[in-house]
């Protein structure tokens, strides 16, 4: 496949369209219409699809009908937070009338109703323009699959946008939509956020409902927003958040948007570059390490006390993650009869069947122990700053045609940092941390304890006001 190379340039965000907050205001105030905004998004998706390949499903006719209806509602005086705004969701999320392929090949029935997160987006007035690509069952920090090919990184087409929410991240970074919803089971929002110069929030478990599943992947996976700015990510989080009556996890409500302009005070922040234990060889890329150090220096300049203090996760953290992850893959695979998948997916599903009992029960029982252990680290610090990934984004084709062992080495070597917070269920936010000498984005993650999203958002917003990562966007793909 021949695709054009894209070189990152610095120019205003407006060149790729308004952000979520700005576009919502422009529609509400009559400076543009929902029909114009949705039509623009659909046209950009269509023009970029042969090269960027961000979407599995595009809802052109339905989205245009919904946009016209939104314009009628606005004319009648109705106001909703996202009325008429085009939004993308990941293709692991049910949208009524559309199939949910979750990165797999085959034919799938259409979903009879919206997932709870989509229902809430629609209740806020959002227009779902499409379902963004993801790898098979969300297993990889790549967005690639035999069923749809490779989704490309908008900053450089030879590279992956990350995964598994890579389609959502690519769509936002390329300016196709102002924001998108992804999901994060081992870093799948934060990793593509890091590799696309985006803000990506992994919220507290249960903050955004995973219904029709009471929980996803045995509590590892949560839904979370991807956007170019902290304010936009916080807005999408507020709109999508809230429980379904069948949810297993229902944290207390927060006000994410209200935290954006709030002074977090003077904090003590630990910088931890230590890689959690992995069974494969891993190392932190010097350019990524330098980017995290630069972010730490900015935090220090903002008045925070920043110290080097490595987190020690221990072997139990990995022993808890693996059964929950593999058993989750098996459960989803089993629920999709007729899915055509890669042999590596089949192998992981088989391993998940073996680990479903009794290892899964033991893994779930370890979580309170791990929370207490890691929680003691926060007796002395307020937040932790760590790399989001160990490397810049790999080339997209590196995932092709390799076996299970080589795949595990590749993905673990690139992305060993994010998964422990999925075991704990606590929130974390990726903030853009700059670019490598070759122009590839990298990120850093701020990590907190239970329900600390407002604090994380306040600090991320401080960083954004200093670093203005939102002013740097890739060249146009349409």
């Amino acid at each position: 496949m021949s695709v054009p190379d894209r070189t990152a340039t610095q120019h205003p965000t407006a060149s790729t369209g308004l952000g979520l907050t700005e576009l919502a205001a422009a529609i509400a105030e009559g400076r543009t219409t929902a029909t114009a905004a949705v039509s623009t998004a659909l046209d950009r998706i269509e023009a970029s699809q042969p090269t960027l390949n961000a979407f599995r499903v595009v809802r052109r006719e339905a989205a245009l009908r919904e946009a016209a209806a939104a314009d009628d509602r606005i004319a009648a005086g109705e106001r909703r937070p996202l009325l008429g705004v085009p939004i993308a969701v990941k293709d692991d999320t049910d949208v009524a009338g559309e199939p949910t392929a979750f990165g797999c090949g085959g034919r799938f029935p259409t979903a009879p109703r919206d997932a709870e997160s989509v229902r809430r987006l629609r209740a806020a007035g959002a227009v779902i323009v499409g379902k963004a690509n993801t790898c098979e069952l969300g297993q990889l920090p790549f967005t690639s699959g035999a069923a749809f090919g490779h989704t490309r990184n908008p900053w450089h087409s030879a590279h992956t946008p990350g995964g598994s929410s890579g389609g959502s991240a690519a769509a936002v970074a390329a300016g196709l939509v102002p924001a998108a919803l992804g999901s994060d089971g081992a870093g799948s929002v934060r990793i593509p956020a890091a590799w696309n110069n985006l803000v990506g929030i992994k919220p507290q478990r249960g903050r955004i409902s995973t219904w029709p599943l009471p929980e996803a992947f045995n509590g590892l996976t949560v839904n979370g927003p991807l956007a170019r700015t902290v304010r936009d990510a916080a807005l999408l989080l507020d709109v999508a958040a809230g429980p379904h009556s069948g949810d297993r996890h229902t944290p207390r409500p927060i006000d994410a948007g209200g935290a954006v302009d709030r002074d977090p005070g003077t904090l003590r922040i630990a910088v931890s570059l230590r890689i959690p234990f992995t069974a494969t060889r891993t190392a932190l890329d010097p350019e990524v390490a330098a980017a995290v150090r630069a972010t730490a220096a900015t935090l220090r300049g903002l008045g925070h006390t920043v110290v080097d203090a490595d987190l020690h996760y221990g072997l139990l953290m990995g022993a808890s993650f693996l059964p929950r992850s593999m058993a989750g893959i098996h459960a989803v695979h089993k629920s999709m009869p007729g899915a055509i998948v890669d042999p590596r997916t089949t192998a992981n599903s088989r391993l998940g069947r073996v680990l479903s009992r009794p290892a899964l029960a033991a893994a779930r029982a370890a979580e309170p122990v791990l929370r207490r252990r890691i929680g003691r680290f926060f007796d002395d610090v307020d937040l932790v700053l760590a790399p989001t990934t160990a490397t810049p984004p790999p080339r997209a084709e590196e995932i092709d045609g390799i076996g299970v062992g080589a795949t595990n080495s590749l993905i673990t070597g690139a992305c060993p940092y994010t998964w422990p917070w999925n075991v704990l269920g606590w929130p974390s936010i990726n903030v853009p941390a700059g670019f490598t000498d070759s122009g590839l984005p990298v990120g850093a993650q701020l990590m907190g304890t239970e329900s600390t999203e407002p604090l994380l958002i306040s600090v991320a917003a401080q960083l954004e006001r200093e670093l203005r990562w939102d002013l740097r966007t890739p060249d146009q793909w349409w």
Side-chain angles (χ1 to χ4, degrees), residues 316-343:
L316 184 60
M317 186 73 76
S320 176
F321 174 78
L322 186 64
R324 293 168 73 172
S325 176
M326 293 296 113
I329 290 169
H330 173 65
V332 177
H333 187 206
K334 186 178 177 181
S335 74
M336 299 177 68
I340 301 169
V341 298
D342 187 274

Side-chain angles (χ1 to χ4, degrees), residues 16-17 32 34-46 60 64 86 175-176 478:
T16 54
T32 189
T35 298
V38 170
S39 294
T40 297
L42 290 166
D43 290 346
R44 290 176 178 180
I45 292 168
E46 182 178 337
R60 175 172 282 275
L64 288 173
L176 310 185
W478 59 86

